[in-house]
């Protein structure tokens, strides 16, 4: 009987230990941040013909559930849920896609059981979607965009570690209030300043001039700077009742440029034109006349630059005050287009628009 009593005692002790252990695991799980992954397609969801196919693959073939299952380590850093919002290659991203995505992000972030959002995205227009969200998300909770330069079937696929880092960032309290971010190649970038710089290499995303926000190392994000420009909850733009955005197009500057493309876009109903000029946003005489005429018709004109770095100086290469033009500051043409679209939902006053370009 004594022997049986000892066995019974040890059994109950073991059972109690297991119960306490399970309780501690449950408590730890409860403390993990709740991160929702919104999938939109892109290379990170792509597949190639072989393990060495890193170009010429098919984008947007893998669903969000498969993406999450491919990185089981995610369960250690966050409580993860997935939603398939779109399944497209990002060159097909449209204004309507942006509005749908932004509205879904705002709905989710308003919920108490969502601490952060990760958006998987093709890299071709990732920087544009990120900046659009940076201007219209109405929360300080982390929103992180992530992509891949190589499909998941490649030997050196970068998608899984990028996704892991993105969830790690979205779940981290230090990421609150930093605006919309991009997590690529072990680096953290701000949506406003990052750009794709290479057609195919994994380190394509850079903030070459103003500098990235930080690094990932040892399963933790480290921040070294923040953006000084307004964003997210502090931005003035509201897309909650919009189902379309004003038409804004980009005209590229080059030697021997003709006004044909510009005039065609104005005739097609453009409400704004971003002129991606040479140098400091210079205007060729052949196009300047057409830009002036377009402005007199009520089309908002923003001088940007094709160079990729530097400030486009107001009243520098053109008398913006006299012409009633806007200077893009440091925004590249594709991001200047996004800010101008949103600006035109609020005002047609060029001075007010210029103030926005210095604010955001």
């Amino acid at each position: 009987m004594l022997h049986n009593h000892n066995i019974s005692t040890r059994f109950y002790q073991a059972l109690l230990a297991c119960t306490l252990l399970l309780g501690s695991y449950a408590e730890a799980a409860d403390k993990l941040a709740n991160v929702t992954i919104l999938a939109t397609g892109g290379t990170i969801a792509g597949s190639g013909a072989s393990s060495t196919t890193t170009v010429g693959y098919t984008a947007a073939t893998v669903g969000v559930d498969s993406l999450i299952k491919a990185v089981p380590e995610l369960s250690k850093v966050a409580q993860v849920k997935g939603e398939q919002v779109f399944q497209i290659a990002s060159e097909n991203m449209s204004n309507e896609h942006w509005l749908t995505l932004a509205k879904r992000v705002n709905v989710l972030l308003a919920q108490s059981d969502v601490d952060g959002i990760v958006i998987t995205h093709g890299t071709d227009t990732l920087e544009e979607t990120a900046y659009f969200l940076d201007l219209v998300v109405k929360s300080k909770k982390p929103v992180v965009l992530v992509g891949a330069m190589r499909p998941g079937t490649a030997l050196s696929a970068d998608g899984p570690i990028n996704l892991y880092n993105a969830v790690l960032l979205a779940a981290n309290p230090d990421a609150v209030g930093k605006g919309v971010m991009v997590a690529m190649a072990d680096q953290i970038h701000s949506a406003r300043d990052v750009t794709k710089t290479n057609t195919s290499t994994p380190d394509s995303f850079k903030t070459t001039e103003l500098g990235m926000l930080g690094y990932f190392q040892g399963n933790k994000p480290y921040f070294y700077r923040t953006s000084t420009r307004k964003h997210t909850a502090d931005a003035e733009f509201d897309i909650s009742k919009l189902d379309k955005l004003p038409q804004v197009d980009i005209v590229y500057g080059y030697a021997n440029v003709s006004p044909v493309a510009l005039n065609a876009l104005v005739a097609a109903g453009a409400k704004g034109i971003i002129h991606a000029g040479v140098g400091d946003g210079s205007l060729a005489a052949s196009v300047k006349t057409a830009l002036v005429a377009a402005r007199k018709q009520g089309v908002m004109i923003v001088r940007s630059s094709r160079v990729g770095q530097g400030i486009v100086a107001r009243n520098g290469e053109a008398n913006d005050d006299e012409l009633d033009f806007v200077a893009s500051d440091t925004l590249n043409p594709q991001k200047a287009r996004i800010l101008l679209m949103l600006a035109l939902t609020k005002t047609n006053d060029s001075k007010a628009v210029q103030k926005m370009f210095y604010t955001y």
Side-chain angles (χ1 to χ4, degrees), residues 263 266-267 290-300:
N263 290 334
V266 172
L291 288 169
V292 170
R295 182 68 193 116
K296 288 180 179 177
Q297 294 177 43
V299 179
M300 193 71 67

Side-chain angles (χ1 to χ4, degrees), residues 130 134 142-145 169 174-195 205-217 220-229 231-232 335:
D134 199 47
V143 176
V144 183
L145 274 82
L169 181 60
D174 291 343
V176 174
K178 297 292 197 301
V180 175
M181 294 166 284
V182 173
M184 295 282 289
D186 295 335
Q187 297 175 349
I188 307 166
H189 299 270
S190 72
R192 182 190 186 277
D193 302 321
V194 71
T195 192
F205 280 78
K206 298 183 184 298
T207 309
T208 52
E209 190 171 28
L210 298 175
M212 59 187 170
L213 300 182
Y215 292 102
F216 293 98
Q217 191 176 79
K220 185 179 178 182
Y222 291 88
F223 287 95
Y224 291 89
R225 78 168 189 94
T226 57
S227 176
T228 61
R229 295 304 178 96
H231 54 69
T232 54
K335 290 184 181 176

Side-chain angles (χ1 to χ4, degrees), residues 13-152:
Q13 287 175 339
L15 184 60
L16 177 61
C18 288
T19 302
L20 292 173
L21 186 61
L22 289 172
S24 65
Y25 283 149
E27 185 180 356
D30 288 341
K31 291 181 179 179
L32 290 177
N34 296 305
V35 174
T36 298
I37 298 177
L38 299 180
T40 69
T43 297
I44 194 170
S47 57
S50 73
S51 62
T52 57
T53 300
T54 57
V55 294
Y57 50 83
T58 303
T61 61
V62 179
V64 65
D65 292 338
S66 296
L67 288 178
I68 293 172
K69 288 178 182 177
V71 191
E73 294 83 359
L74 294 178
S75 63
K76 298 177 182 178
V77 296
Q79 301 264 39
V80 174
K81 295 180 181 178
E83 289 184 20
Q84 193 75 46
V85 186
F86 316 118
Q87 186 68 297
I88 60 174
S90 73
E91 64 266 26
N92 297 318
M93 193 65 64
S94 67
N95 292 354
E96 290 71 29
H97 286 122
W98 281 343
L99 289 170
T100 298
L101 180 62
K103 289 174 183 178
R104 183 60 183 148
V105 168
N106 279 330
V107 167
L108 287 169
L109 292 180
Q111 298 175 191
S112 60
D113 61 347
V114 176
D115 299 307
I117 287 179
V118 168
I119 299 169
T120 62
H121 199 288
T123 58
D124 285 353
T125 59
L126 187 150
E127 67 189 84
E128 293 171 68
T129 299
Y131 186 51
F132 179 77
L133 294 172
D134 199 47
L135 296 173
V136 301
V137 166
K138 295 301 181 185
S139 173
K140 291 184 180 292
K141 295 178 183 179
V143 176
V144 183
L145 274 82
V146 63
M149 293 298 294
R150 294 173 176 170

Side-chain angles (χ1 to χ4, degrees), residues 244-316:
K244 65 178 181 178
L245 295 167
Q247 180 185 336
V248 175
D249 296 296
I250 300 173
V251 173
Y252 201 81
Y254 51 92
N256 200 47
V257 65
S258 143
V260 171
L262 168 62
N263 290 334
L265 291 169
V266 172
K271 303 301 181 187
I273 292 289
I274 307 297
H275 181 262
V278 295
D280 190 10
S282 300
L283 307 175
S286 56
V287 171
K288 181 177 178 180
T289 301
L291 288 169
V292 170
R295 182 68 193 116
K296 288 180 179 177
Q297 294 177 43
V299 179
M300 193 71 67
I301 307 296
V302 174
R303 286 193 310 109
S304 184
S305 173
R306 71 181 197 181
V307 172
Q309 295 187 45
I311 300 171
V312 173
R314 183 169 178 84
N315 298 317

